[in-house]
Amino acid sequence: MAAAQDRSQTVDEISDRFVAQYTELDPVLSTYIGVAGHDRELTDHSPEGCGRRADVARTALAQVEALEPANARERLAKAVFTERVGLMVELYDAGQVVGDLNVIASPIQDTRGVFDLMVPAKSEQDWETIAARLACVPDAVAGIRAGLVHAADTGHCAALRQVEKVAEQCETWAGAGGEQPYFDQLVKPATAVAGASGTGPATAPAVGEALARELADRATAATKAIAELATFMREQLAPRAPVRDAVGPEVYALRSRDFLGADLDPHESYEWAWDEFFRIESEMKQVAERIKPGASLAEAAQALDADERYQVTGRREYEQWMQRLSDTALAELRDVHFDIPDPLMTLECRIAPPGGSVGAYYTGPSEDFSRPGRMWWSVAGSKDRFSTWREVTTVYHEGVPGHHLQIATATYVADQLNLFQRQFSWVSGHGEGWALYAERLMHELGYLGDDGDLFGMLDGSLFRAARVIVDIGMHLELPIPAGSGFHPGERWTPQLGLEFMLTRTVSDPDHVRDEIDRYLGWPGQAPAYKLGERLWLAAREDARARSGADGFDCKAFHTAALRMGSMGLDTLRQQLDVL
């Protein structure tokens, strides 16, 4: 008689055990993805810490690869796990993990940003948890520094541009620009700083006196560690950093596969993006003519910026505008175009703390939805006046039917997806592709009937097409084609990339300047939006063709697709081909 299968060795069990082991070694990731139990700790990004996580990934990968799935659901779970975790190991072995540094999503931003998810604190116990994690900041920063030294020693140091820009971010968080340091702002609701410092009337702290003092002291120590890291990067790392930004074909292929979950043909994608850019540009010109007859794209944008109908003044007012738009989308799409369960009906919209790259981003809910999904908007400096025509489509991208519906749906279907699939796995091509697809979908559903808002959506889509061109072009240093109307025959450089984005799109110049730094530090990520949207659109049309125009149920297609969770684009295409 054959022995019974050891259920601890199913794909789901190994995947869930991997998440538990990995998040224990990466407490920051644990908080970001909503896995409870590690909120008092920070992640060790030293070479040793990175090595321990790589060992966990390598062991789990071998175990899952050796399994024969019991059914179709397990086959999908195995495909998702081996593709994602296999790339984690491959990136580590290629020297792309230890000492990772870029302006948007590297260990130092994660270490600082995880505290955003811990406020507002609702109890003294919450503040105790924050105090415990604050105490870890100096050691966490030391680990990051050790990783940066290791990367430099092994020939994997980030480019000088990234080093200098991240040093600047650290200086902002440390209060070098005259603003209150980030960690002081974080603990201020609990410590009543004004009364304690003698600069204002005494105010009773929100916690006990001992904890208030502990929070203040640990905030000061955290700020000191961040400031010292900035000094280290400027004085010791910058002289060792390469000036060249382009990573070249080999690194680009690997990093692109990480973000897409598919092998990229960079030359085909580059050519397709030019065609897509010209198509969208032509459509924008038609809308611009309706906004202001005879106007160029830039002149139409200026007209919209000057139109009081599209203006919001004040950061709090802008936050409220986002919230109203998001709430309306949730209410009106529910049960009509999407299945949206009760826990997903809460989406908080917030202005992000200063110091990060300009733009919007989303953080998902915790497993039990006690922490809801949140849309964050990081704005430049003292900016206090906002043009909404640019950003209606962004609310749909980050919120509903974009990232919130996508990520929170995967969290919700715990009976269908293992923990790795619903909380751990994230592929930019899948996720950002869906969110960009969601923007176009809202136009199809009639939510962008206003020409200003439609112009904003098209501007965003043009911008994403330009990203594919510029990201691939700069990192592979490709020639600019004849007929482009932009430096034909020259090879892409960061300077040409910036000029192209500033002159051939109408996006906010502050945002554009940040974007170029982002592309150069995060190779292969920016094209994932448009290339992912391309796949989602093609898959929907294929499903429509299989069902016939009268038999196709778009709501059912979306529901089934979102409930599969995030996965690489090659795996996604295989799954969508049967819907």
Side-chain angles (χ1 to χ4, degrees), residues 31-43:
T31 299
Y32 271 109
I33 67 176
V35 174
H38 304 290
D39 290 344
R40 300 171 68 89
E41 307 159 61
L42 287 173
T43 304

Side-chain angles (χ1 to χ4, degrees), residues 421-439:
Q421 290 172 284
R422 66 181 187 267
Q423 294 289 88
F424 196 100
S425 177
W426 170 258
V427 186
S428 290
H430 179 284
E432 301 298 355
W434 167 265
L436 192 56
Y437 166 82
E439 294 184 44

Side-chain angles (χ1 to χ4, degrees), residues 134-135 137-138 183-184 215-228:
L134 276 172
V137 171
F183 291 109
D184 287 356
L215 284 162
D217 289 346
R218 290 180 177 180
T220 298
T223 297
K224 181 174 182 288
I226 294 289
E228 290 175 348

Side-chain angles (χ1 to χ4, degrees), residues 84-134:
R84 285 291 89 195
V85 179
L87 267 166
M88 292 171 66
V89 172
E90 197 172 344
L91 285 162
Y92 175 82
D93 290 343
Q96 297 295 304
V97 173
V98 181
D100 182 29
L101 187 72
N102 62 68
V103 298
I104 189 168
S106 59
I108 187 59
Q109 290 91 359
D110 292 343
T111 298
R112 202 287 303 157
V114 73
F115 288 94
D116 292 346
L117 301 183
M118 302 178 73
V119 292
K122 299 177 181 178
S123 66
E124 185 151 339
Q125 182 178 5
D126 288 345
W127 283 114
E128 289 173 351
T129 300
I130 291 172
R133 181 164 261 175
L134 276 172

Side-chain angles (χ1 to χ4, degrees), residues 323-455:
Q323 191 69 62
R324 287 194 301 270
L325 186 62
S326 175
D327 290 346
T328 298
L330 274 164
E332 293 184 357
L333 292 177
R334 189 185 199 188
D335 299 329
V336 179
H337 300 291
F338 290 95
D339 291 321
I340 306 179
D342 287 342
L344 276 66
M345 291 300 291
T346 299
L347 170 61
E348 294 180 356
C349 300
R350 297 185 177 184
I351 298 293
S357 296
V358 173
Y361 58 96
Y362 173 82
T363 56
S366 57
E367 276 190 282
D368 61 359
F369 287 89
S370 59
R371 186 192 76 208
R374 290 172 179 154
M375 181 193 316
W376 301 83
W377 218 290
S378 179
V379 298
S382 58
K383 184 173 182 178
D384 200 46
R385 186 172 172 85
F386 307 90
S387 292
T388 62
W389 68 268
R390 296 178 184 272
E391 309 302 359
V392 168
T393 191
T394 308
V395 173
Y396 299 145
H397 179 109
E398 301 296 340
V400 170
H403 287 319
H404 177 63
L405 186 58
Q406 170 196 42
I407 293 170
T409 294
T411 301
Y412 181 76
V413 291
D415 60 328
Q416 300 175 37
L417 302 176
N418 62 46
L419 185 58
F420 181 88
Q421 290 172 284
R422 66 181 187 267
Q423 294 289 88
F424 196 100
S425 177
W426 170 258
V427 186
S428 290
H430 179 284
E432 301 298 355
W434 167 265
L436 192 56
Y437 166 82
E439 294 184 44
R440 182 182 295 215
L441 180 64
M442 289 299 273
H443 175 42
E444 294 174 3
L445 298 178
Y447 280 82
L448 295 168
D450 176 271
D451 274 338
D453 296 341
L454 175 59
F455 193 77

